Amino acid sequence: MSKIFYRQIIPMLAAVALMLSCGSDEVVSEGGGQQPILLSGSISQSQQSDTRAATTLYDSFYGGEQIDVSIYGGSSVDAAHVIVKESNVYTIASDGTMTPPSGMEPYFPMTANGQVTIRASYPHSDNLASTTVTVSADQTSDDSYKAGELLWATASPTRTTGTTAVQLTFHHRMAKIVVNLTSRSGVPNLPTTVKLLPFKPTVTLDKSTGGVTTSGEVTPIVMSANGAAMVPPQTITANTPIFEILTPQGDIAQYAPPTALEFKPDYVYTYDVQVDMRMIIVTTSITTWGTPSTEHTFSGDVIGEQWS
């Protein structure tokens, strides 16, 4: 079992520890050439060219966010192998530099390769095992949108020389929905908001695995037209309305896909909607939020929905 001590260690204990055999995996925080574990974080980004209207909010850290970090010796993620206090709260700067609490700087263990396993999550939660987030029912403002963010990262670095920081790439554990409205046949006064209909609002993240569980009662979510909303991952059954808009004439138009659809974490679901006098025409694309790739693009699959 790899263990570690911190800078607060008393000199007498450090002196005793340094007398141990080089083959021992008992380590101290200073001396013996031990290497500090430096961390830097960033959010996985797509190479899509998105404007604010297509929602780039929280594609990077703003600075000052509190990140929960746990570090384990070797590859086992359990209490017996914990190196730093579970869920130490780091502060991340806008350039990605992550700073641990004063006096709690971790070091690589002095095992054969000095491997550690790191788990990190945002936002901060006092619960060591999980983080629960409930998205806002009104995501028309930047702040309400950002309040629903849920991020998770993992890495398994080994001891190295120098002071290169371990790069943690955070992935979104929410799904993102983008609805773009355009006028067809000169329809004036397009709506400024869109209502999402079938989504449960609460998700719990397992800090060890990155897995998520969705819960809560279905709650409508209002988002800005040509903007975005975050929703917890979940599967919506076939013929269930995903969203609705209020037409300039005061009618309600809904879009309900004919097959079941799984909204996955770290994916973006984009609906390009042409608003006509008598129908909406919807083109759907599904892309990854982070790693650049496209899973499905239905650019030629145009679906017309009559006014309800």
Side-chain angles (χ1 to χ4, degrees):
M1 179 179 70
S2 298
K3 297 180 180 178
I4 198 160
F5 298 89
Y6 295 98
R7 292 185 183 276
Q8 299 96 323
I9 193 166
I10 60 174
M12 180 66 72
L13 181 57
V16 173
L18 286 172
M19 295 174 62
L20 296 175
S21 166
C22 292
S24 172
D25 63 359
E26 300 290 324
V27 299
V28 295
S29 63
E30 297 182 78
Q34 192 161 335
Q35 188 66 34
I37 303 174
L38 305 177
L39 300 180
S40 179
S42 63
I43 299 176
S44 177
Q45 295 186 26
S46 170
Q47 290 178 351
Q48 300 175 101
S49 178
D50 289 346
T51 64
R52 168 59 193 103
T55 68
T56 56
L57 281 177
Y58 249 117
D59 280 352
S60 61
F61 287 105
Y62 293 89
E65 292 94 340
Q66 292 187 316
I67 310 292
D68 290 344
V69 176
S70 294
I71 305 178
Y72 306 85
S75 58
S76 298
V77 181
D78 54 51
H81 292 82
V82 68
I83 285 183
V84 305
K85 179 183 177 182
E86 291 182 275
S87 293
N88 253 348
V89 182
Y90 280 57
T91 301
I92 190 166
S94 59
D95 65 359
T97 302
M98 296 175 62
T99 304
S102 178
M104 296 295 288
E105 296 84 358
Y107 288 75
F108 283 99
M110 296 298 290
T111 50
N113 63 359
Q115 181 183 354
V116 297
T117 299
I118 302 172
R119 299 285 192 265
S121 61
Y122 172 84
H124 163 65
S125 168
D126 289 332
N127 188 320
L128 298 182
S130 63
T131 298
T132 298
V133 173
T134 298
V135 299
S136 174
D138 182 349
Q139 296 190 37
T140 56
S141 71
D142 289 355
D143 288 343
S144 61
Y145 171 86
K146 291 187 293 185
E149 185 59 282
L150 184 62
L151 300 166
W152 185 79
T154 183
S156 297
T158 56
R159 185 176 61 253
T160 60
T161 59
T163 57
T164 301
V166 176
Q167 179 64 47
L168 294 177
T169 301
F170 287 81
H171 292 270
H172 301 274
R173 305 312 293 156
M174 293 287 190
K176 179 164 70 172
I177 295 177
V178 177
V179 182
N180 299 315
L181 303 184
T182 58
S183 174
R184 189 170 187 266
S185 302
V187 173
N189 303 320
L190 294 178
T192 58
T193 61
V194 176
K195 182 183 288 186
L196 304 180
L197 300 173
F199 297 98
K200 297 178 180 179
T202 301
V203 62
T204 299
L205 168 73
D206 185 319
K207 290 182 178 180
S208 294
T209 66
V212 292
T213 303
T214 298
S215 61
E217 298 295 325
V218 170
T219 304
I221 297 171
V222 179
M223 59 179 287
S224 298
N226 304 318
M230 294 192 200
V231 297
Q234 53 200 282
T235 298
I236 305 302
T237 57
N239 300 310
T240 299
I242 299 296
F243 63 83
E244 68 180 28
I245 64 171
L246 187 65
T247 73
Q249 293 81 7
D251 297 317
I252 294 176
Q254 295 182 336
Y255 171 66
T259 58
L261 180 59
E262 180 184 3
F263 288 82
K264 300 178 183 180
D266 211 23
Y267 275 76
V268 181
Y269 299 77
T270 301
Y271 299 94
D272 292 316
V273 183
Q274 298 180 59
V275 181
D276 204 338
M277 293 299 295
R278 301 187 58 83
M279 67 176 63
I280 58 175
I281 300 175
V282 181
T283 302
T284 304
S285 64
I286 304 173
T287 57
T288 51
W289 194 343
T291 306
S293 69
T294 299
E295 183 176 87
H296 302 291
T297 300
F298 306 109
S299 57
D301 185 8
V302 178
I303 301 173
E305 291 291 319
Q306 298 293 332
W307 300 129
S308 63

